[in-house]
Amino acid sequence: MSLDKVKNIVLVLSGKGGVGKSSITTQLALSLSLAGCSVGILDIDLTGPSIPRLLGIESAKVKQAPGGWLPVEVHQSQVLQPVPVPTPTSKSTEATSTDGVSNGVPPSSINGNATSPSRPTNGTSDPQSTPIGSLHAMSLAFLLTTRSSAIVWRGPKKTAMVRQFLDSVLWPPLDYLLIDTPPGTSDEHISLVETLLKTVSPDNAPSATRSGPHLAGAVIVTTPQAVAISDVRKEINFCGKVGVKVIGVVENMSGYVCECCGVGTNLFSKGGGEIMSREFGVKFLGSVPLDGQWGVLIEEGRRPRYGITSVPTEARGNEEDHRDEEETEKGENDKENREEGLLIDRYRSCSLCLVFEGIAKQVIDTVTNGTSVSVKALNA
């Protein structure tokens, strides 16, 4: 089987669509890589694969090799140089606030969760270089002729495709394989779990005593509001019925922190994921806020910057001149600020990197110590 070189398999699940599973999978993979682990991402969201776009490798194609497919390499194992100190752009000012959002630096805390000072941020130089693990990805999107190609498959075809991905992708040696799944508990999930449980070990023994691929468990993704929580509960019950242990719960879209003033707002309520975790007795891995600079990083390919505000309108002249100047400046800045290089390097400047550093550490500790939770035992 092509999973022979994979140590730990982690499923990313949610019973609700639109909660950001692919975003969580991508950032967890980047953070595990920053922790020095070799990581792979298998995207089995067959009708809406988004991992290639999030990783910036949409134009990549899968190569055929004897025995199967070679996954696309996102980056090799290497050493990253210190995070560069940003220089202010023309006709912009640095916002200053008591919340620490100044000089291009992300907020020092998000939703009350203190961020770790060990991870370099934009505006501060990392005194040491950062060794990272390799990252590879596989998705149906690599096999499609165009980005807009529709997948119109019935259940048996989906089941066959998932099994082919598990059997025919020739992964290099990996510490973690993250499997990004579609929402719900449908054909893809059933086929995935059935195939994995036949071929890998689901036991909770410490990593030092394991041999071969190990199904470490599932990371459950939710958002704070009640309508999402009610559906995600079904996903946890699904894990209990099929025998997949739960590593923990991540609450995505948990508040928004203004890039300029640092003030936090709970757009979609607060704390639902943590309450659900306590009810099921599973670990709460953390809250992930909305961050506009994550979108800048993915969509525009630019290094995140914080605390940058436009010069007030009255300093620009009349409204029409201001609009023309702003549009011209935006076009020029987009061209100037679009960066070459590795996604993982630019991600270090994102405030969410701080959040996921803690989440990745908890995942590593849980998998290493074999402390993921069996939901069956909790429901007994």
Side-chain angles (χ1 to χ4, degrees):
M1 190 175 185
S2 64
L3 300 175
D4 291 341
K5 297 181 180 180
V6 177
K7 291 182 180 178
N8 299 291
I9 300 170
V10 176
L11 312 183
V12 182
L13 303 172
S14 178
K16 186 71 174 176
V19 299
K21 289 183 301 300
S22 295
S23 175
I24 296 296
T25 302
T26 300
Q27 294 185 77
L28 180 57
L30 292 172
S31 298
L32 289 171
S33 178
L34 284 169
C37 303
S38 55
V39 187
I41 302 178
L42 175 59
D43 183 2
I44 66 163
D45 190 347
L46 304 179
T47 57
S50 54
I51 289 296
R53 182 173 180 82
L54 290 170
L55 294 175
I57 53 174
E58 280 187 295
S59 60
K61 295 298 180 182
V62 172
K63 295 181 180 179
Q64 192 77 28
W69 292 317
L70 296 177
V72 174
E73 181 182 85
V74 182
H75 61 251
Q76 297 177 345
S77 176
Q78 58 190 279
V79 176
L80 296 180
Q81 296 304 308
V83 178
V85 178
T87 56
T89 57
S90 62
K91 297 183 180 180
S92 65
T93 59
E94 298 287 345
T96 303
S97 76
T98 57
D99 294 297
V101 185
S102 61
N103 300 322
V105 183
S108 58
S109 66
I110 300 174
N111 286 348
N113 298 328
T115 54
S116 169
S118 63
R119 178 67 59 212
T121 62
N122 195 12
T124 59
S125 293
D126 181 9
Q128 298 179 348
S129 298
T130 305
I132 62 172
S134 62
L135 177 59
H136 294 77
M138 182 63 190
S139 172
L140 182 62
F142 296 136
L143 305 175
L144 302 178
T145 54
T146 66
R147 182 192 301 177
S148 58
S149 297
I151 299 298
V152 187
W153 290 349
R154 295 186 184 275
K157 180 66 174 178
K158 291 182 178 181
T159 297
M161 189 74 251
V162 170
R163 289 175 177 168
Q164 188 170 1
F165 272 149
L166 294 175
D167 293 336
S168 302
V169 180
L170 304 178
W171 297 101
L174 297 178
D175 294 312
Y176 293 91
L177 175 64
L178 307 183
I179 302 183
D180 185 36
T181 65
T185 55
S186 58
D187 298 295
E188 293 95 326
H189 303 79
I190 298 171
S191 175
L192 172 67
V193 172
E194 285 181 347
T195 304
L196 288 177
L197 291 180
K198 290 178 181 177
T199 54
V200 303
S201 169
D203 64 276
N204 257 20
S207 59
T209 63
R210 300 184 198 129
S211 60
H214 170 244
L215 179 55
V219 171
I220 308 295
V221 182
T222 186
T223 49
Q225 64 269 46
V227 66
I229 295 295
S230 62
D231 286 340
V232 176
R233 293 176 192 272
K234 301 172 185 176
E235 196 74 32
I236 298 181
N237 284 324
F238 168 81
C239 290
K241 289 182 178 180
V242 299
V244 174
K245 296 179 174 63
V246 177
I247 295 173
V249 174
V250 175
E251 184 179 274
N252 197 21
M253 306 182 195
S254 182
Y256 168 74
V257 178
C258 178
E259 300 172 19
C260 300
C261 68
V263 175
T265 304
N266 295 313
L267 299 178
F268 305 111
S269 184
K270 179 183 179 182
E274 188 170 6
I275 293 172
M276 182 183 67
S277 298
R278 289 199 298 266
E279 290 178 356
F280 278 92
V282 299
K283 183 179 294 185
F284 182 68
L285 299 175
S287 300
V288 180
L290 295 166
D291 184 355
Q293 290 298 309
W294 165 249
V296 169
L297 172 63
I298 296 301
E299 299 296 337
E300 302 178 22
R302 293 191 284 117
R303 186 178 293 274
R305 300 190 65 185
Y306 297 86
I308 310 299
T309 60
S310 300
V311 174
T313 303
E314 54 269 22
R316 296 274 190 107
N318 63 54
E319 184 177 350
E320 184 177 354
D321 291 342
H322 167 59
R323 188 185 303 111
D324 292 341
E325 185 175 351
E326 189 175 45
E327 290 176 356
T328 301
E329 180 182 347
K330 183 179 183 301
E332 292 175 352
N333 286 341
D334 284 347
K335 293 179 181 178
E336 293 174 1
N337 295 334
R338 186 172 293 277
E339 300 180 26
E340 299 294 333
L342 299 178
L343 170 66
I344 192 171
D345 178 37
R346 299 192 296 274
Y347 179 65
R348 293 185 297 168
S349 297
C350 183
S351 69
L352 297 182
C353 182
L354 297 164
V355 178
F356 273 88
E357 181 181 26
I359 293 175
K361 184 178 185 303
Q362 292 184 77
V363 170
I364 292 173
D365 290 345
T366 300
V367 173
T368 301
N369 298 325
T371 55
S372 53
V373 175
S374 171
V375 182
K376 281 186 177 180
L378 294 174
N379 289 339

